[in-house]
Amino acid sequence: MRTYPDVTRGRRLVGAALATVVVALGSLTACSEAGSEQASITYAGFGGTYEEAVRAALFDPYSTEADVTVRYDSSGSDVAKLVQMSRSGSMTLDLIDAEDSSLAQFMAADILQPIDTKSLTGFADPSAVTEYSVPWYTFSRNLFWNKDEVPGGLDSWADLFDTQRIPGKRGLVALPWGILEGALIADGVPVDQLYPLDLNRAFAKLETIRKDTVFFPSNGDLQNAISQGEIVLGYGNLARIKSIATSGAVPLEYTWKGAVLSVQQLVVPKGAPDQAHAVEAIRYSMKPEVQKAIMDKLGYTPSQQSVLDGLDAQTRADLPGTAETASAETFRIDVDWWAKNGADVLKRWQDWQNA
Amino acid sequence: MTTTPTAPETDRAEPASRTTGGRRRPRGWDLSGIPAAVVVAVVFVLPVAILCLRSVTEPTFGLENFTRLLGHAGYRDNIVRTILISAAATFLALLFGYPIAYQMVHGGRWLRTFLTVAIMAPYLTSILLRSFSWLVILGRQGPVNKLLEQVGLEPVGMVFTPIAVVVSLSHYLLPLMILPLAATMRSLGDSRTRAATSLGAGPAQAFVRVYLPLTKPGIQAGAVLCFVYGIGAFVIPALLGGSEGSMLGSLIHSAIKQSGDYGLASAAALVLGALVLAIVVGFQRLTGMSTTELAGRSGTATIRAARTGRGGRRLLKFAGRAAGGLDRLGLTRSRRLPKILAAVLGALVLAPQFIVVPISFAATKALVFPPVGYSTQWYAEFFTASWLDPLTVSVRIAFFVTIVAGVLGTLAAMAVVRGTVHRWGTLTSTLMMLPLLFPTVVAAAGFYVEFERIGLVDTELGIVLAHVTLALPFVFSVVSAGLRSLSPVYERAAASLGASRTVQLRRIVLPLIAPSIATAGLFAFLTSFDESTVAIFLSGVEVKTLPKRIFEALSLETNPTVAVISVFVMGCAAVVWLGYALVRRLTQTPRSHR
């Protein structure tokens, strides 16, 4: 049979391609096999600058000391997703960073692993410790504004809803807790009579700022938009606000009035692949130096009394939940109410969001 | 990924059986399409079908999700907004695309080359990176607002509004508009316009009354493609739209990922899928163009006589008269004006590509243009595990996808082009092209929900499988085109000399279509490497692809490292493109049949 010149050329090309593929496959399998012997845990937090801070304060030192690799996921606030994962038996996370409202939902859904916390002591507020969780700091969400765009600033939740006096885009995270309460406060409900939440009234009040508000899927998105100058006022996590203010991207100011206080807890989900190391990391997070580092990096209040005792008045004046920052308008979310009604409210919230 | 294979013509499957002088009747390649068909059916069609089923079973059996979706004014608004945004973006793409396409066909050599580059360069850049550019351009501190302030106007909030979505989406859709338009125009030539001018029409009148109606098939194909891809958009509204610019795609994503509300997500996905289907079917009825033709994005295999309705005719007459008026005023005498217009539009299309270069050297995290200071810190940041690991994952996945889709797609192409059972061929090619036409976000939602049950979420295998279905249409159509240009005579000759089918394949067919397979492989690789929608749904902690990492950086952090990747991708695209052109030249010159 006569061989055509272009057949040989083509055949050589195919041969070369095949050789490349074989070499590549070989090297890839070699790649994927390496480095799977060390113990590793996966932590679900909230990404962005929060993750950076938690990494530096807790996981980097823990990882070195215990020789455990830590992997990071940013789905800490996706309660529904985490519940779904646990129920379908496909839990890939070992350690979840949960604020008290999420904790309540996790507990209601019964997806948490009990933790042996007897050996952990010295909490400033022992009542925050549960069978399933260890409080590691107190945080807050505060009203904030861009000094250039909102000269008068904000003094209360009513100001956030006053689009006449303060025009401009408001930024909120698309999670209902705190915001529904804030809407009711703005509408004149006294802080001690918030619960049970009058949902119709809260949603009606929210409707009045819908056109001026962007709801972000996560704290990170909100932070992003604030630092790009797209959002000029709103309500968000204090650590994120402080991070923007110190970076100098935009001149940001915040107030303690109307702040929502919350306890941040560490939990281990049922079916976590490496529960032992997860609990070990929680124990590690109670070390005074870790607690101090969290305070320095995020601006939040340590849960260990010994660390609190060592602080001066000036430091305490800018920490959530201390006597210095408490005011009549500062409040805590009713975790029990949210545990009972959270799922229904979320559904209504989602419908409203898309409306 | 946005790529342009040529359309396979399904109606020409030539039976190879009546040839060999009676003694041996070689069977066709019918069975070789089975593996690819099974993969598409099981990995793509099945999850989507189950997702659709879920819309009436989750959480309880009934139409609850649909009454919730269609009974709630907010969700209805979302559906209407999805259609309106897509329509507006399509219109804008036509407005920009028509003059560009015109000059790409009729302009001088330099203008043609420039416009081709201007269209192709963004086409090769990830939709995520382009969204990043628009975030910078339309931002509060971006060049547009800077310009407004210089003129003494108030800055306008465009990000997180439908404006940003429409602008960015039309930029993304532009090539889909231009390719069919240019193909139609190329097949026309300018003889008819010249005839009209010689009969006394001015340039504007000849254009409006003769040229424009003749390009109607191109406009139709381009508009349908843009519209269909537009309503399935997910990344752009998710990053730029905020709540005001939310579309069905972003609704599906947030319903699944944020609230775990599979019932609502399935219902929304079904509505989106039904919209696409209705548009495509309506289009086919109207023009007689086939689905595969449309999905192949040439839309020009045949230019049908432009039929214009009565209303359209009256409008055309009126426009023609107006154009005649312009001609008489001498306003259209200039032959340079349309060229300048096209060049300016081309430059505008290309500009977002380069805005990232100064941003990549920014000294601060803020997305200010031009940056306040300069540094190379983001380049240093790129060369850390946080970015290089996802890059490796993406490359590895793309490799596997290229191999699997390459083999399956080539076999399927053999089945359709060299098969003997006509009906099988049509079925296979429809199945192969389905993933290209169906909204990726719906498929991604289907993958996520089904893969989660069998533990394939957040695994390389899961992403590879999903990407294979998305890459198959490209491989299939490119290799089919290659096979069609290859005369079956060689195989028949080999068969008559006693070569078995595998020997024919190995020694005759594969070597001859190697260039097509190489091109198809490149498409498959790029499709997977650049794929963001599926990756955003399927990847997590274990497996994080580069697009997923970029999406995180854009939504969770203000991170100029994304600009570095843009620059990096531009460089790579240039190298790959040059290399590809070189390979093509080297392998194709000695070919006689073509």
Side-chain angles (χ1 to χ4, degrees):
Chain A
M1 184 179 115
R2 208 181 133 197
T3 317
Y4 287 87
D6 49 348
V7 174
T8 359
R9 179 193 301 271
R11 196 151 45 186
R12 224 177 285 144
L13 206 72
V14 171
L18 272 178
T20 320
V21 163
V22 168
V23 171
L25 273 177
S27 63
L28 287 173
T29 33
C31 249
S32 48
E33 273 165 14
S36 54
E37 281 160 33
Q38 203 183 18
S40 77
I41 57 170
T42 306
Y43 152 84
F46 310 99
T49 52
Y50 178 81
E51 185 186 295
E52 279 169 34
V54 170
R55 236 182 237 244
L58 170 59
F59 289 117
D60 283 350
Y62 169 71
S63 171
T64 329
E65 199 162 302
D67 198 26
V68 172
T69 315
V70 181
R71 285 178 301 189
Y72 299 87
D73 185 66
S74 55
S75 61
S77 41
D78 297 352
V79 173
K81 179 190 163 185
L82 299 179
V83 169
Q84 177 74 25
M85 254 173 125
S86 173
R87 285 191 178 153
S88 66
S90 59
M91 180 52 72
T92 56
L93 308 165
D94 299 291
L95 185 56
I96 304 174
D97 211 336
E99 70 176 85
D100 47 16
S101 50
S102 309
L103 173 68
Q105 291 178 71
F106 289 143
M107 283 168 73
D110 190 26
I111 66 151
L112 295 182
Q113 180 69 31
I115 301 173
D116 176 24
T117 49
K118 284 183 201 88
S119 55
L120 291 169
T121 50
F123 293 97
D125 176 11
S127 72
V129 186
T130 74
E131 194 189 341
Y132 302 97
S133 70
V134 178
W136 71 312
Y137 61 77
T138 301
F139 79 105
S140 65
R141 292 204 177 85
N142 300 49
L143 295 164
F144 67 85
W145 63 94
N146 180 328
K147 273 189 276 188
D148 290 346
E149 308 281 337
V150 187
L154 299 179
D155 224 19
S156 66
W157 276 91
D159 288 347
L160 184 81
F161 284 82
D162 189 349
T163 51
Q164 292 284 307
R165 185 173 82 77
I166 310 172
K169 274 265 187 252
R170 284 127 170 90
L172 298 171
V173 173
L175 296 172
W177 36 91
I179 294 171
L180 292 175
E181 284 88 342
L184 290 172
I185 294 172
D187 210 32
V189 178
V191 171
D192 54 354
Q193 289 164 33
L194 282 172
Y195 298 93
L197 294 182
D198 184 343
L199 290 173
N200 290 337
R201 188 170 170 185
F203 277 106
K205 184 71 179 174
L206 272 172
E207 193 64 45
T208 62
I209 55 163
R210 178 205 282 282
K211 288 262 177 291
D212 304 274
T213 308
V214 182
F215 290 91
F216 294 92
S218 74
N219 293 302
D221 295 281
L222 173 61
Q223 183 181 13
N224 213 352
I226 302 167
S227 46
Q228 283 158 29
E230 301 295 340
I231 295 300
V232 296
L233 68 153
Y235 157 76
N237 279 24
L238 182 65
R240 307 262 181 181
I241 297 167
K242 280 186 173 173
S243 156
I244 300 166
T246 47
S247 78
V250 278
L252 223 54
E253 189 91 74
Y254 59 90
T255 175
W256 284 103
K257 289 183 183 161
V260 179
L261 299 175
S262 195
V263 175
Q264 191 71 23
Q265 309 248 16
L266 291 174
V267 301
V268 179
K270 271 184 192 164
D274 191 347
Q275 301 184 349
H277 281 109
V279 173
E280 195 180 275
I282 293 179
R283 219 175 283 276
Y284 196 91
S285 74
M286 293 300 123
K287 288 192 168 199
E289 59 269 29
V290 176
Q291 292 258 309
K292 183 81 170 27
I294 278 291
M295 186 188 77
D296 292 341
K297 298 212 180 300
L298 293 172
Y300 290 151
T301 317
S303 64
Q304 290 286 316
Q305 186 62 45
S306 62
V307 186
L308 273 175
D309 290 341
L311 303 176
D312 56 34
Q314 202 192 335
T315 313
R316 296 167 60 98
D318 201 28
L319 283 180
T322 56
E324 285 85 345
T325 57
S327 77
E329 269 187 74
T330 310
F331 64 97
R332 281 174 191 274
I333 280 165
D334 186 337
V335 176
D336 291 337
W337 189 88
W338 275 101
K340 266 191 221 96
N341 303 287
D344 289 340
V345 179
L346 261 174
K347 200 162 180 176
R348 180 163 177 183
W349 172 263
Q350 198 202 336
D351 284 353
W352 181 80
Q353 282 269 297
N354 289 289
Chain B
M1 176 59 206
T2 41
T3 28
T4 50
T6 35
E9 298 140 55
T10 48
D11 49 352
R12 219 165 37 88
E14 207 172 317
S17 52
R18 348 179 172 96
T19 45
T20 45
R23 218 167 42 137
R24 258 180 74 163
R25 288 171 63 89
R27 280 161 298 160
W29 285 86
D30 296 291
L31 296 182
S32 70
I34 290 176
V38 167
V39 166
V40 173
V42 172
V43 181
F44 189 91
V45 179
L46 193 66
V48 171
I50 297 179
L51 185 77
C52 292
L53 205 65
R54 279 203 170 209
S55 65
V56 288
T57 60
E58 191 106 351
T60 50
F61 186 78
L63 292 175
E64 184 197 341
N65 290 308
F66 289 97
T67 49
R68 186 165 158 224
L69 189 71
L70 301 172
H72 198 291
Y75 291 122
R76 275 203 306 271
D77 284 352
N78 191 309
I79 297 171
V80 173
R81 184 166 55 225
T82 303
I83 295 171
L84 287 181
I85 286 181
S86 182
T90 302
F91 179 71
L92 215 59
L94 178 63
L95 215 60
F96 270 66
Y98 202 94
I100 295 178
Y102 186 86
Q103 294 300 335
M104 270 172 87
V105 174
H106 299 288
R109 194 174 153 212
W110 284 109
L111 186 58
R112 263 181 4 229
T113 314
F114 168 71
L115 291 176
T116 308
V117 171
I119 298 309
M120 290 317 287
Y123 205 45
L124 289 171
T125 316
S126 151
I127 185 170
L128 287 160
L129 298 174
R130 281 194 266 168
S131 302
F132 174 76
S133 295
W134 286 110
L135 202 63
V136 176
I137 294 170
L138 301 175
R140 184 64 55 168
Q141 294 159 311
V144 175
N145 270 321
K146 285 265 169 68
L147 201 73
L148 286 179
E149 274 175 41
Q150 296 252 299
V151 190
L153 292 168
E154 281 286 299
V156 186
M158 288 173 287
V159 175
F160 307 128
T161 71
I163 301 175
V165 181
V166 169
V167 169
S168 179
L169 196 56
S170 68
H171 184 247
Y172 168 69
L173 296 174
L174 197 58
L176 295 186
M177 179 63 84
I178 286 178
L179 292 173
L181 266 181
T184 308
M185 290 172 176
R186 209 163 281 135
S187 70
L188 282 179
D190 55 354
S191 57
R192 281 177 249 214
T193 330
R194 253 188 282 149
T197 339
S198 75
L199 289 170
Q205 201 171 14
F207 173 77
V208 171
R209 299 199 63 169
V210 177
Y211 195 84
L212 198 62
L214 283 172
T215 56
K216 196 175 154 199
I219 297 177
Q220 284 173 332
V224 166
L225 271 182
C226 286
F227 193 66
V228 162
Y229 274 70
I231 58 173
F234 150 62
V235 170
I236 290 174
L239 286 174
L240 296 171
S243 9
E244 263 182 77
S246 165
M247 292 169 73
L248 272 176
S250 34
L251 172 65
I252 294 170
H253 180 248
S254 75
I256 284 185
K257 288 287 212 166
Q258 239 109 44
S259 356
D261 195 341
Y262 294 167
L264 186 77
S266 315
L270 200 68
V271 167
L272 186 56
L275 274 174
V276 168
L277 214 65
I279 295 162
V280 172
V281 169
F283 173 77
Q284 271 176 292
R285 280 277 159 80
L286 216 68
T287 63
M289 254 182 238
S290 78
T291 322
T292 32
E293 245 176 288
L294 184 65
R297 298 181 192 174
S298 74
T300 53
T302 41
I303 300 294
R304 273 154 259 265
R307 276 171 292 165
T308 318
R310 189 174 293 169
R313 217 172 294 154
R314 202 174 298 157
L315 191 75
L316 207 61
K317 211 173 220 173
F318 178 75
R321 224 170 275 154
L326 286 179
D327 285 333
R328 271 189 294 282
L329 287 170
L331 286 173
T332 51
R333 195 79 38 85
S334 164
R335 311 196 93 221
R336 209 174 286 166
L337 213 59
K339 292 198 163 88
I340 294 173
L341 174 69
V344 169
L345 292 181
L348 275 179
V349 173
L350 203 52
Q353 195 78 9
F354 291 99
I355 200 126
V356 293
V357 177
I359 295 287
S360 73
F361 289 103
T364 60
K365 268 198 162 189
L367 296 182
V368 184
F369 180 85
V372 191
Y374 292 92
S375 80
T376 52
Q377 54 174 317
W378 310 115
Y379 283 83
E381 164 92 16
F382 177 62
F383 290 99
T384 59
S386 146
W387 290 96
L388 292 182
D389 287 353
L391 180 66
T392 325
V393 169
S394 277
V395 170
R396 185 160 58 224
I397 287 177
F399 248 115
F400 286 125
V401 170
T402 308
I403 294 159
V404 178
V407 171
L408 295 183
T410 305
L411 286 175
M414 286 297 290
V416 170
V417 181
R418 295 283 191 263
T420 50
V421 187
H422 183 67
R423 207 181 312 145
W424 283 25
T426 315
L427 184 74
T428 308
S429 53
T430 308
L431 208 54
M432 288 301 109
M433 296 319 269
L434 201 63
L436 195 61
L437 212 61
F438 204 70
T440 313
V441 66
V442 174
F447 293 148
Y448 179 79
V449 175
E450 287 323 303
F451 283 12
E452 197 188 30
R453 274 210 290 220
I454 50 176
L456 276 180
V457 164
D458 204 10
T459 62
E460 288 194 12
L461 180 63
I463 299 179
V464 166
L465 281 175
H467 281 185
V468 162
T469 63
L470 299 182
L472 268 175
F474 296 106
V475 176
F476 173 73
S477 54
V478 171
V479 176
S480 307
L483 271 175
R484 283 215 172 79
S485 71
L486 175 69
S487 162
V489 166
Y490 297 122
E491 292 147 77
R492 286 176 205 157
S496 72
L497 291 168
S500 72
R501 266 202 306 174
T502 43
V503 172
Q504 290 171 42
L505 184 70
R506 191 161 49 83
R507 301 191 60 170
I508 310 283
V509 179
L510 281 186
L512 283 172
I513 60 167
S516 296
I517 294 179
T519 309
L522 183 70
F523 278 135
F525 188 91
L526 288 178
T527 304
S528 165
F529 184 75
D530 202 35
E531 203 287 326
S532 45
T533 307
V534 167
I536 287 166
F537 272 86
L538 288 191
S539 89
V541 198
E542 306 281 337
V543 185
K544 191 176 282 181
T545 69
L546 188 63
K548 165 79 174 181
R549 177 72 185 92
I550 296 173
F551 185 75
E552 279 185 1
L554 287 181
S555 61
L556 294 179
E557 318 149 21
T558 311
N559 198 332
T561 314
V562 174
V564 175
I565 299 170
S566 277
V567 175
F568 178 73
V569 167
M570 271 198 279
C572 285
V575 169
V576 169
W577 199 247
L578 285 176
Y580 172 70
L582 206 69
V583 168
R584 260 182 88 107
R585 176 157 297 183
L586 283 179
T587 52
Q588 283 192 348
T589 26
R591 296 269 300 270
S592 49
H593 51 266
R594 193 139 240 260

